[in-house]
Amino acid sequence: MRRKQEAPAQERLVTLWRSHAHRVMAYALRHVDRDIAQDVVSETFLVAWRRLADVPDDPLPWLLVVARNTIANQRRSGHRQERLAAELERFRQIAEPAAAAEVLVTERAAVLAELAALTAKEREALLLVAWDGLSPKHAAKVAGCSLPAFHVRLTRARRRLRASLDADPRPRPEPVPSIGGTA
C-alpha cells in the first residue's frame, strides 16, 4: 500500500525537478559559486521531498524561497566557521611561547585544541579566571551573568577540560621547575 502512495509523490518530485531545477540553479548561481549552488539545489529539492504536501500548485516561488533560506543558512554556517578560525588564531597568538617557555609545544597545542572544543560561554568563563586573573565575582560581571550562573559555567568548563585532557592518550611531561623556584 505504501509503495502505491509513494509513486505519485515520486512522480510529482520528478516533475518538479524537471520543470524547475534549472531555474533554482540559476537563482543559486546568482548568489553563490557553482559548487555551493549545486548543494543549494540538492538541499532545496530535499526539502521539497520532505514537505511535498506543502509545495503549492505554483511551486517555483516556494522553491526559490527554500533556496534563499538554504543560502542564508550556509552563509551563517560559513560565518560561524570564520569566527571560530579567527578565535583559534587569536588563541594561538595569545599563547605564543616566550623564550625558554616551560610548556612543550605539543602540550600547548593539546590545551588549545581542548579550549576550542568548549562552548563559547565555558571557554570565556575559564579564560576570564585563568588567563585574565579575575575573581568569579568580577568575571561574572564581565560575562554578563549572575555569579551562580558563572560558577556553573566555570565548573562545567573545568570538568570538560579536565576530562578531555585526561582522556588524551599522549603522555604528559612533568613541568620544568623555574630557575630559583621550588619544584
Side-chain angles (χ1 to χ4, degrees):
M1 181 72 173
R2 184 176 168 116
R3 285 207 188 275
K4 288 182 181 180
Q5 291 174 345
E6 286 182 2
Q10 288 174 347
E11 290 172 14
R12 181 158 188 231
L13 184 66
V14 168
T15 301
L16 282 173
W17 175 266
R18 287 182 180 152
S19 301
H20 301 292
H22 66 284
R23 301 285 301 276
V24 174
M25 176 61 97
Y27 175 85
L29 286 171
R30 287 195 309 269
H31 299 280
V32 294
D33 67 39
R34 180 167 285 286
D35 293 332
I36 295 174
Q38 291 174 348
D39 291 342
V40 168
V41 172
S42 297
E43 183 68 23
T44 299
F45 281 91
L46 179 62
V47 170
W49 173 248
R50 288 180 180 155
R51 297 184 50 202
L52 202 54
D54 297 335
V55 178
D57 291 336
D58 184 13
L60 185 59
W62 187 91
L63 291 168
L64 294 181
V65 168
V66 172
R68 182 191 68 211
N69 293 340
T70 301
I71 291 167
N73 288 342
Q74 288 186 349
R75 284 189 176 140
R76 279 190 296 274
S77 176
H79 289 302
R80 283 190 298 270
Q81 289 173 356
E82 290 169 8
R83 284 194 313 268
L84 178 60
E87 193 166 337
L88 288 174
E89 177 59 22
R90 191 171 47 83
F91 283 145
R92 188 195 63 74
Q93 290 174 354
I94 291 171
E96 280 295 321
E102 298 173 7
V103 179
L104 297 175
V105 173
T106 55
E107 182 75 7
R108 187 177 127 263
V111 170
L112 289 175
E114 299 306 330
L115 276 174
L118 297 174
T119 68
K121 289 180 179 182
E122 290 171 345
R123 185 173 44 249
E124 181 69 8
L126 194 60
L127 295 177
L128 284 171
V129 171
W131 283 12
D132 296 328
L134 297 178
S135 69
K137 179 181 176 182
H138 290 121
K141 287 181 182 177
V142 173
C145 64
S146 68
L147 184 57
F150 185 81
H151 277 295
V152 169
R153 289 179 190 176
L154 185 59
T155 301
R156 284 182 184 160
R158 286 176 174 161
R159 188 180 313 127
R160 286 186 59 205
L161 187 61
R162 189 177 308 114
S164 61
L165 289 175
D166 288 346
D168 190 348
R170 294 179 292 196
R172 299 272 180 237
E174 291 296 321
V176 178
S178 300
I179 297 176
T182 58

